[in-house]
Amino acid sequence: MIPVLSWREVVREAAPLHYLRKPSGVGGARACVGEGGPGERQEAWLKSALRLWYCTERGAEPCGTCGPCRAIASDVFPGIVWVRSSGGKEIGIDEVRKMREFLSWKGIPGEKRVVGVAGAERLSGEAAQALLKVLEEPPAETWFFLLTPSPFSLPATIRSRCLSLSFSARPGWWRMAEEKLSPEASAERLWGLTAPSEGGSPAEREWWKRL
């Protein structure tokens, strides 16, 4: 089982977190291809970040101790299903059928459901075709995350129905700020930093001058 990351590690991945932090106004289903970085790192990041949606504390970052946070870390949260290969083998049609069975159940109205496909580049031809049919007519309030270090290994028909999320490190200015902040500085403070070239609040501009 892939362990979760600390929230400080999660905020170091710039683009994906920004997308997940602003899901309001995005209706229906969404399919996202995660690219860049080792596959296990992508899966650990997604598991960790999804706690933000389901944490009962509803804070700036997930508490990590409530029932949903612990269930997500243990891969037993009922609103999330993972499709994985076994022992490095290809992902076969049976795994996709189990995912479709999960989607056939009626979820809680307004509650997001998530399908994570880890190692999506290992989808067999038959499995990829079955997944494509789901993406063509996806259930409402469902998010699909296809995690792969090589998105172009996926069929073009699948990629065309997905958004691209790049798992890349924060830019140099952000890493410099992280080094200057104390270890006790909140991850939320780090996540919200604005680049010095982008302005920010008067207090933040003054803070940059002191670095």
Side-chain angles (χ1 to χ4, degrees), residues 138-178:
E141 298 298 330
T142 304
W143 289 58
F144 298 81
F145 292 92
L146 281 59
L147 305 180
T148 174
S150 51
F152 286 100
S153 64
L154 300 176
T157 48
I158 288 181
R159 295 200 313 272
S160 67
R161 287 167 172 79
C162 297
L163 303 172
S164 179
L165 300 182
S166 178
F167 288 78
S168 57
R170 290 277 187 169
W173 63 263
W174 192 92
R175 294 195 299 273
M176 179 183 70
E178 183 185 25

Side-chain angles (χ1 to χ4, degrees), residues 45-66:
W45 185 92
L46 182 60
K47 281 178 61 174
S48 307
L50 285 175
R51 296 177 299 171
L52 188 67
W53 282 356
Y54 299 104
C55 179
T56 58
E57 294 300 315
R58 305 296 183 189
E61 58 188 72
C63 69
T65 58
C66 68

Side-chain angles (χ1 to χ4, degrees), residues 74-158:
S74 301
D75 283 349
V76 294
F77 186 71
I80 301 174
V81 65
W82 285 95
V83 179
R84 299 182 176 100
S85 65
S86 177
K89 300 177 182 177
E90 69 176 13
I91 299 174
I93 186 65
D94 288 342
E95 283 76 15
V96 177
R97 284 173 179 155
K98 292 175 185 176
M99 177 266 290
R100 293 176 68 175
E101 182 180 356
F102 163 79
L103 295 177
S104 69
W105 301 335
K106 289 186 178 180
I108 301 172
E111 185 87 355
K112 301 178 187 69
R113 291 188 296 178
V114 173
V115 174
V117 183
E121 73 280 0
R122 297 193 183 102
L123 284 164
S124 69
E126 191 177 13
Q129 189 62 31
L131 176 61
L132 176 61
K133 290 181 179 179
V134 176
L135 295 178
E136 288 174 339
E137 297 183 15
E141 298 298 330
T142 304
W143 289 58
F144 298 81
F145 292 92
L146 281 59
L147 305 180
T148 174
S150 51
F152 286 100
S153 64
L154 300 176
T157 48
I158 288 181

